[in-house]
Amino acid sequence: MGVVKYAAGIEYVKGALTKPTKKDGHSHGTYLIGTHREAATQNPNCTRLYVKAEDVFKRTTPLSTKELQARNRFRAVAALVKARKEDLMAITQDQVDFLAQRDAANGKKTMKAYLWKVCGPEYDNQ
């Protein structure tokens, strides 16, 4: 196992350092991923670096029916949220309803989350 040491004041890197680029219909390069362990440990080597092939995250199975339904629901509810956010007739009442539920135990803290909470069941009931 190798130990990663960064230079010039960089303590650690979390996430992708490089990703493959797609040119002329195929990928060039690999993923270079840095990790940093934050859990308590006796081992001083808490930084790791991984190299992964460009196709490691490529899907190998077709989308299931459940996944397609979830994607369609998301797309439809997102459209409802966008339309409701721009509807001048509903904005005032939505703001009043949002403020009334915001401090409740299960209340949504942002207007967008509130609209998703309202429009999701509205789509499901159709």
Side-chain angles (χ1 to χ4, degrees), residues 57-104:
F57 298 113
K58 185 181 274 186
R59 187 177 187 107
T60 59
T61 60
L63 292 170
S64 69
T65 305
K66 189 174 182 178
E67 288 172 315
L68 289 171
Q69 289 171 346
R71 287 182 181 198
N72 290 336
R73 181 185 185 276
F74 182 87
R75 190 177 302 115
V77 174
L80 286 173
V81 168
K82 182 179 179 190
R84 187 162 179 152
K85 190 168 56 171
E86 296 170 354
D87 182 9
L88 298 176
M89 300 300 286
I91 288 176
T92 305
Q93 187 60 44
D94 283 342
Q95 289 173 341
V96 169
D97 295 341
F98 166 69
L99 292 174
Q101 63 85 45
R102 181 177 61 181
D103 295 327

